[in-house]
Amino acid sequence: MNSPELATDLLETTGLTTEAIDDEAGGLPDDRFLDRELSWLAFNDRVLDLAKDRRRVPLLERAKFLAIFANNLDEFFMVRVAGLKRRIAAGVAVRSVSGRMPREVHQTILDRARELVNEHSRVFEEEIRPELAAEGIEILRWYELTADENNRMRELFAERIFPVLTPLAVDPSHPFPYISGLSINLAVLVKNPVTGIRQFARVKVPSVLPRFVRLAEGRFVALEDVIAHHLHQLFTGMQVVQHHVFRVTRNEDVEVEEDDAENLLVALERELLRSKIGRPPVRLEVEDDIDPKMLELLVTELDIHEREVFAVPGPLDLGGLFSLTDLDRAELKYPAFLPSTHPHLAEVETAKPADLFAALKQRDVLLHHPYDSFATSVQRFIEQAAGDPQVLAIKQTLYRTSGDSPIIDALIEAAESGKQVLALVEIKARFDERANIAWARRLEQHGCHVVYGLLGLKTHCKLSMVVRNEPDGLRRYAHVGTGNYNPKTARTYEDMGLLTANPIVTDDIGRLFNHMSGMSQETEYRRLLVAPHGIRTGLIDRINNEIANHEDGRPAAIKIKVNSLVDEDVSDALYRASQAGVPVDLWVRGICTIRPGVPGLSENIRVRSILGRFLEHSRLFWFANDGQASVGIGSTDLMHRNLDRRVEVLVSITNPAHVVEIEELFELAFSPGTAAWWLDSEGTWTPHTTDDEGELLVDMQDYLVRVKSRRRAVK
């Protein structure tokens, strides 16, 4: 990788250099930013807090949060740590915005990650596992099985497990095998009883089988334990001297040189094939009782540094705890919740599904998922368009969707019925590349026009547009959202969306689709802000407007909700707003590099984080604007990749009732009576879950489930 590419990659990961930021800071202090990587680890620590929370979180949900923590950390190593290692190996000597060199950052985050991993293991062993056992749900080791269970596992091994195992020996004719990322493996030392020669072998635990094997109702054993105690059947005639479980995490970030690719789809397929091998390891997980010589062998053969070894009590990969959520134990889970149809759409529901076109002729509809049903709103919008003979065209962005997506099926139905269907599929969506390539090919085979967006940019915006022939001419209908067109995640992700027939908005969206699929050079829109050209500047203009209003004695305030806040330019604008006296409320689920509460810099900035049953995913922007609030929703986080290297969209919200609804969300999130984590100037997140008398504070998501299920239609 040459130096310009490294520079671009560095910007993607850590932002501008401290020198570049100092040039533009205008007197702001050098140490005004928190470390991005440590902020991410702090987010995962908040996830771990939920796993510990006996009072607010049901037991099986706490086990699920342990699994979420494990999966989150896997991705952190595959992407963030891998990126740091790549820059260290290339000799990049550029400081991050927190003022530290890549090697220093790498060591610091490994130390902090190790602390979290140890705590994660402790919570499982000392809290979750015993509490599950008390409820009749046992995750056992082999020595805890009954004689009858031993016999049944022997039968299971012979019938279902043994046929899919492939032991790989290491000798002069068999080199050390490639260890695929995130696979669970057994490192086995066997001895020839005749010659006495010892030999290493690796057995991969098959991912096609359940991670935890059900022994009986409520009793489980790890699959690797079952395999480990039947190794003699794999190595007949040999003595099994020892065995140990290990797991490798590799750099899994897919890179495609688009400038050299004649066909992006083919280029990405080629890169995905290449990525199956040759990706360097970034972490080695082992059980803490591993033999030192076996560990030394693994470290040497995998070419991994000792500081990247994580030794923990078994079992490894607690992401497997997700399987426990399938247990029929309602009393150990969150109460059942069924999303309802939005009141404005319910008005046009009869015995048949709602007529969304009729509803949208009356008014815009602001959706709030999962409280408002995705199936009876967004999904219904696309399905109705596909089956309506008056619809002439459908245009749709697809970033991530589910494996059995009704959205894909509806687009195919529309194309096969003769409608013009444009699907803008982002095939570079991280970790969903293979699935999106499959959807792209399927859509093409059924007559959809499939494009892959703009060269060098990911298409992350969430847009759908329908063109319909009506008695008074063509009318366009559209949806702009903050989340993916994925019916499955729509039940667990908190997101917002606007369904509209407003001609100004739909004209903007139509021109944006033409820009993404053709050769137009649109950069200015009336009701949209669009990245990479307009969101950062548009937001900074609005922040500066709040500063000017405050200085003139007019109403001024800023409220922002995002998943991550990293961008230095926007952060500096928010610091200046605070210095000017403008109150700034930042509602951030994940990474936040702003330091709130620093005297003279950010004493007017408050930062809150809310985690819970649903993943807070919406992006909301609210500005007081001299009493006439300027409000937008959309797909973008405040990160370099979103603002510089993605097509993102924010749409302005003008309906007064919708503005009030968003204002009330911020009021609830920042109320002292609402449970949340509060960020201080040193980067510490403190949970605020009880009042001074020890009573639980309001769970915002639970409150919204109750309130929105009985809300009245906004007139």
Side-chain angles (χ1 to χ4, degrees):
M1 181 179 287
N2 60 38
S3 56
E5 291 165 339
L6 277 172
T8 300
D9 182 63
L10 182 66
L11 292 176
E12 168 71 15
T13 305
T14 60
L16 300 173
T17 65
T18 50
E19 291 80 3
I21 294 170
D22 290 343
D23 290 342
E24 302 174 4
L28 296 175
D30 294 344
D31 62 350
R32 64 193 181 278
F33 297 118
L34 298 169
D35 185 274
R36 169 179 173 158
E37 318 302 343
L38 290 178
S39 182
W40 187 96
L41 289 172
F43 154 67
N44 217 27
D45 193 17
R46 298 197 292 282
V47 174
L48 194 55
D49 279 348
L50 293 173
K52 303 175 189 177
D53 194 337
R54 291 183 175 90
R55 295 187 65 186
R56 293 194 307 143
V57 185
L59 180 56
L60 282 178
E61 306 292 349
R62 290 167 57 205
K64 185 167 78 171
F65 282 119
L66 282 184
I68 292 171
F69 174 99
N71 284 4
N72 284 350
L73 200 62
D74 286 346
E75 184 171 335
F76 178 74
F77 273 89
M78 288 189 291
V79 179
R80 307 301 312 165
V81 177
L84 278 170
K85 284 197 68 175
R86 190 167 63 248
R87 285 186 295 282
I88 292 169
V92 175
V94 181
R95 295 183 183 277
S96 69
V97 295
S98 60
R100 298 186 303 154
M101 302 296 287
R103 191 176 299 277
E104 181 185 359
V105 173
H106 183 238
Q107 184 59 58
T108 300
I109 63 176
L110 286 181
D111 292 343
R112 180 56 181 145
R114 196 178 312 281
E115 293 173 357
L116 291 177
V117 166
N118 290 337
E119 177 65 3
H120 181 243
S121 297
R122 186 201 66 77
V123 173
F124 173 71
E125 287 292 338
E126 299 180 10
E127 299 180 25
I128 300 298
R129 190 180 176 199
E131 291 177 42
L132 286 172
E135 294 289 346
I137 302 170
E138 298 180 275
I139 300 174
L140 306 167
R141 302 313 297 259
W142 183 265
Y143 62 83
E144 297 174 295
L145 271 57
T146 66
D148 181 61
E149 288 169 341
N150 273 322
N151 292 332
R152 284 192 287 113
M153 286 302 100
R154 276 196 290 271
E155 294 175 4
L156 178 72
F157 180 83
E159 295 173 2
R160 301 291 303 276
I161 301 175
F162 179 83
V164 297
L165 296 179
T166 304
L168 297 175
V170 175
D171 58 29
S173 62
H174 298 88
F176 193 88
Y178 179 80
I179 309 298
S180 54
L182 302 187
S183 62
I184 299 174
N185 302 270
L186 289 169
V188 185
L189 184 65
V190 297
K191 185 176 75 170
N192 187 313
V194 177
T195 65
I197 296 176
R198 298 190 174 203
Q199 191 173 349
F200 173 87
R202 171 261 195 152
V203 178
K204 181 177 179 178
V205 177
S207 59
V208 294
L209 298 174
R211 174 73 179 83
F212 291 105
V213 181
R214 187 188 293 266
L215 298 161
E217 187 63 34
R219 288 173 65 84
F220 301 87
V221 63
L223 178 58
E224 61 268 25
D225 269 11
V226 178
I227 296 172
H229 285 81
H230 294 86
L231 287 173
H232 60 278
Q233 296 185 33
L234 291 173
F235 301 97
T236 54
M238 304 289 283
Q239 294 177 0
V240 177
V241 179
Q242 58 180 259
H243 62 269
H244 303 281
V245 182
F246 72 98
R247 184 172 182 259
V248 175
T249 310
R250 294 185 179 274
N251 176 357
E252 297 291 345
D253 206 11
V254 176
E255 304 168 26
V256 179
E257 298 297 334
E258 295 185 47
D259 293 340
D260 299 330
E262 295 181 4
N263 184 310
L264 181 58
L265 186 64
V266 173
L268 185 57
E269 286 180 316
R270 186 186 308 119
E271 173 62 18
L272 288 170
L273 181 62
R274 187 187 72 81
S275 69
K276 290 182 179 179
I277 60 173
R279 293 289 183 180
V282 293
R283 177 181 58 167
L284 170 62
E285 296 172 272
V286 298
E287 291 190 319
D288 56 9
D289 61 354
I290 189 171
D291 179 81
K293 291 185 177 179
M294 181 69 80
L295 177 59
E296 182 182 0
L297 172 67
L298 292 174
V299 167
T300 301
E301 293 292 346
L302 292 169
D303 191 23
I304 197 166
H305 197 280
E306 289 181 1
R307 65 170 175 263
E308 296 168 319
V309 176
F310 287 73
V312 297
L316 302 183
D317 185 21
L318 291 179
L321 293 174
F322 275 118
S323 62
L324 297 184
T325 60
D326 295 332
L327 292 173
D328 186 17
R329 298 292 300 273
E331 75 279 12
L332 302 180
K333 301 179 184 179
Y334 287 120
F337 165 65
L338 181 65
S340 58
T341 299
H342 188 285
H344 290 157
L345 302 181
E347 292 174 351
V348 290
E349 274 188 330
T350 57
K352 298 180 180 180
D355 182 345
L356 266 73
F357 301 135
L360 297 181
K361 287 177 185 176
Q362 300 178 38
R363 58 167 76 88
D364 289 355
V365 175
L366 183 67
L367 301 165
H368 193 189
H369 308 300
Y371 315 104
D372 296 321
S373 169
F374 181 89
T376 60
S377 56
V378 179
Q379 183 178 321
R380 170 61 184 158
F381 174 65
I382 300 168
E383 290 176 336
Q384 182 179 347
D388 187 339
Q390 302 306 312
V391 168
L392 305 179
I394 303 174
K395 299 186 178 184
Q396 176 80 49
T397 63
L398 292 170
Y399 189 75
R400 302 186 197 274
T401 190
S402 59
D404 52 350
S405 173
I407 305 292
I408 298 291
D409 293 340
L411 295 176
I412 289 173
E413 176 190 344
E416 290 182 337
S417 66
K419 296 175 174 62
Q420 293 290 315
V421 177
L422 171 70
L424 206 155
V425 181
E426 181 46 75
I427 58 174
K428 301 188 299 297
R430 181 177 287 157
F431 303 129
D432 278 343
E433 297 95 345
R434 289 182 176 83
N436 285 8
I437 287 173
W439 291 129
R441 293 211 180 279
R442 184 181 171 204
L443 289 166
E444 286 177 326
Q445 290 166 1
H446 289 273
C448 299
H449 301 294
V450 179
V451 295
Y452 309 115
L454 302 173
L455 192 66
L457 301 174
K458 281 187 179 181
T459 303
H460 190 251
C461 54
K462 323 299 182 182
L463 301 173
S464 182
M465 188 178 74
V466 172
V467 182
R468 192 169 188 265
N469 189 20
E470 300 185 352
D472 55 351
L474 295 182
R475 186 190 294 265
R476 289 181 287 195
Y477 301 83
H479 171 262
V480 185
T482 69
N484 299 308
Y485 291 98
N486 188 324
K488 290 185 177 179
T489 58
R491 294 193 289 268
T492 56
Y493 281 32
E494 179 274 340
D495 272 302
M496 300 195 83
L498 179 70
L499 282 168
T500 182
N502 181 287
I504 297 176
V505 176
T506 58
D507 179 67
D508 278 354
I509 293 172
R511 290 188 293 117
L512 177 56
F513 267 113
N514 289 340
H515 173 56
M516 292 189 291
S517 65
M519 298 297 292
S520 69
Q521 296 297 316
E522 295 280 354
T523 57
E524 298 293 332
Y525 303 88
R526 288 178 286 177
R527 287 276 301 276
L528 304 182
L529 291 178
V530 179
H533 300 291
I535 291 183
R536 180 187 282 111
T537 55
L539 291 177
I540 291 175
D541 286 346
R542 285 159 176 75
I543 294 169
N544 290 337
N545 183 59
E546 296 304 306
I547 295 173
N549 285 340
H550 180 78
E551 291 174 344
D552 291 341
R554 298 193 293 268
I558 299 167
K559 303 177 190 293
I560 294 175
K561 177 180 187 288
V562 288
N563 296 297
S564 297
L565 198 168
V566 173
D567 187 76
E568 292 83 14
D569 288 343
V570 175
S571 298
D572 283 348
L574 293 171
Y575 279 137
R576 293 190 179 94
S578 172
Q579 289 177 320
V582 178
V584 178
D585 285 342
L586 303 175
W587 179 359
V588 185
R589 185 188 87 232
I591 304 169
C592 181
T593 56
I594 274 185
R595 295 180 183 269
V598 178
L601 175 68
S602 57
E603 62 263 51
N604 291 305
I605 296 178
R606 298 188 297 175
V607 182
R608 302 287 185 267
S609 183
I610 293 175
L611 280 70
R613 174 178 188 168
F614 308 125
L615 185 143
E616 294 288 331
H617 192 251
S618 64
R619 291 87 164 185
L620 313 176
F621 301 84
W622 183 97
F623 301 90
N625 193 37
D626 190 20
Q628 299 293 320
S630 173
V631 180
I633 69 171
S635 57
T636 189
D637 287 310
L638 298 181
M639 305 175 73
H640 312 113
R641 69 185 187 195
N642 299 87
L643 301 180
D644 296 324
R645 284 177 286 283
R646 289 185 175 185
V647 179
E648 304 275 15
V649 168
L650 297 182
V651 61
S652 61
I653 302 297
T654 56
N655 183 306
H658 297 165
V659 170
V660 169
E661 183 174 347
I662 291 173
E663 288 173 349
E664 289 175 346
L665 284 177
F666 278 105
E667 289 173 4
L668 181 58
F670 282 84
S671 167
T674 297
W677 284 261
W678 298 14
L679 179 65
D680 68 19
S681 60
E682 298 304 313
T684 300
W685 292 88
T686 302
H688 289 254
T689 57
T690 59
D691 61 19
D692 293 339
E693 283 72 42
E695 295 298 318
L696 291 176
L697 299 180
V698 172
D699 182 301
M700 179 175 181
Q701 295 178 351
D702 179 62
Y703 173 84
L704 290 174
V705 165
R706 290 183 281 107
V707 169
K708 294 215 172 191
S709 64
R710 62 174 184 261
R711 67 182 177 178
R712 297 178 180 176
V714 179
K715 302 299 183 181

